[in-house]
Amino acid sequence: MVVWTDFERTTIQDIFSKIDYAVVGQAAFSRCLIVYPWTQRYFGGFGNLYNAAAITSNPRVSSHGKVIMEALEKAVKDMDNIKATYAELSALHSEKLQVDPDNFMLLGHCLTIVVASQLSKAFTPEVHAAFQKFLAVVVSSLRKQYY
Amino acid sequence: MTSLSAKDKNTVKTFWAKVAGKEEQIGCDAVSRMLTVYPQTKTYFSHWKDLRPGSAPVRKHGATVMAAVTDAVSKIDDLTGALLSLSGLHAFTLRVDPANFKVLSHNLLVVLSTMFPDDFSPEVHVAVDKFLAAVALALSEKYR
């Protein structure tokens, strides 16, 4: 059972209320494909991912970035039940998409960096720690259905 | 992991010119974050009186670390040679688990992202990430 402090709860809700899902999703997901290019292996159908410029302007990348943020919002809306919320998504990533779960935190790192650039000084070490904990819980829940 | 291309080295050097003068602040913030976000790293600093973000020992250590990283940028063509004695220090005296190099690197990237949001583009991010990985590798040389 994950125990959230009041600070952690409000911090996560606050971050997600402040960020633009389309902007942050596109920025984080495209950054992941650029900084960790092996992650592109899962997106063969996305068209031109040839270089950073192509990735950044790719419309499928931006719409998928938004999909990811909307899925994260589900966890934010029910922070005490993230494992249950992601049971189906976990099975999807394991059985259908066959994503190496080590990749989840790579996207997590990129999301942290984008959120940090948006919040700037407001992304204090304490806020950063709460965000990292949230990501760790999300990643752990996504790994649950792998066997 | 691949070695640094000429483009990577140029990107890092160009970006690092922007960082000049702010090394202490960056180092302090990176170490503060590392200790707060990844509390297992505190085990290496049990001899400090104060492990809070921005405390005196944290600030001093952040400056030390950043000075070494900045020096590595200037010696980017031979990181192994440049970091030989620091590698010995980490391997034989400090005995830091090399997995932690990634942790500090990540926190450094986060700080750079907060302080230089317009300059820390994905292209700069990948070059700096590669550079820090190369630094970590050079630091691990003497471990075994």
Side-chain angles (χ1 to χ4, degrees):
Chain A
M1 242 303 280
V2 183
V3 178
W4 301 101
T5 64
D6 288 336
F7 173 78
E8 285 163 349
R9 254 181 231 280
T10 32
T11 299
I12 300 303
Q13 312 284 344
D14 193 53
I15 292 174
F16 276 81
S17 73
K18 284 196 167 92
I19 56 179
D20 180 322
Y21 290 2
V23 170
V24 170
Q26 189 270 348
F29 181 48
S30 59
R31 201 169 272 258
C32 186
L33 296 172
I34 294 167
V35 179
Y36 309 108
W38 55 92
T39 56
Q40 292 170 26
R41 80 186 290 274
Y42 303 110
F43 303 100
F46 272 38
N48 187 359
L49 297 177
Y50 211 55
N51 53 37
I55 292 169
T56 314
S57 56
N58 185 313
R60 292 205 58 182
V61 168
S62 36
S63 60
H64 196 66
K66 191 159 175 242
V67 163
I68 294 170
M69 295 309 292
E70 283 162 354
L72 282 173
E73 190 189 46
K74 292 201 174 103
V76 176
K77 287 201 156 113
D78 194 3
M79 285 174 69
D80 295 310
N81 280 305
I82 297 178
K83 196 165 78 180
T85 304
Y86 282 155
E88 249 185 73
L89 265 177
S90 177
L92 175 77
H93 282 76
S94 161
E95 287 160 35
K96 183 157 177 266
L97 305 174
Q98 309 225 306
V99 177
D100 181 344
D102 285 344
N103 289 312
F104 297 147
M105 200 36 100
L106 296 182
L107 180 57
H109 284 330
C110 290
L111 187 53
T112 303
I113 280 170
V114 170
V115 168
S117 75
Q118 297 254 313
L119 300 182
S120 191
K121 290 216 158 45
F123 198 66
T124 62
E126 293 79 7
V127 167
H128 180 176
F131 195 67
Q132 181 59 33
K133 181 171 164 177
F134 172 73
L135 289 177
V137 172
V138 165
V139 168
S140 164
S141 307
L142 273 177
R143 293 184 88 119
K144 270 281 178 277
Q145 301 302 322
Y146 279 73
Y147 60 91
Chain B
M1 289 290 157
T2 54
S3 53
L4 300 170
S5 68
K7 184 171 168 227
D8 291 327
K9 292 180 188 178
N10 263 327
T11 306
V12 171
K13 286 186 153 155
T14 309
F15 178 74
W16 225 257
K18 300 195 163 91
V19 155
K22 298 196 166 75
E23 287 94 345
E24 215 190 278
Q25 186 189 347
I26 293 169
C28 176
D29 196 356
V31 173
S32 299
R33 272 173 206 281
M34 183 185 75
L35 297 170
T36 309
V37 183
Y38 300 91
Q40 68 269 20
T41 57
K42 292 199 276 193
T43 55
Y44 291 100
F45 304 102
S46 51
H47 55 287
W48 286 356
K49 282 205 170 69
D50 190 353
L51 284 156
R52 289 171 304 175
S55 70
V58 167
R59 181 164 292 280
K60 180 161 173 266
H61 196 62
T64 306
V65 168
M66 261 314 264
V69 174
T70 301
D71 186 54
V73 173
S74 71
K75 297 176 177 150
I76 204 167
D77 290 313
D78 179 22
L79 288 173
T80 312
L83 291 164
L84 214 53
S85 61
L86 267 178
S87 179
L89 176 75
H90 284 75
F92 306 126
T93 312
L94 306 174
R95 288 194 258 221
V96 176
D97 187 330
N100 292 301
F101 298 152
K102 252 193 204 158
V103 174
L104 181 54
S105 296
H106 172 64
N107 284 291
L108 199 42
L109 295 175
V110 172
V111 172
L112 293 175
S113 177
T114 58
M115 288 180 66
F116 305 95
D118 298 320
D119 296 300
F120 197 63
S121 65
E123 292 88 335
V124 169
H125 177 172
V126 61
V128 177
D129 193 25
K130 282 178 77 175
F131 165 68
L132 291 175
V135 168
L137 197 62
L139 268 180
S140 312
E141 268 295 315
K142 296 243 164 156
Y143 271 68
R144 53 177 179 177

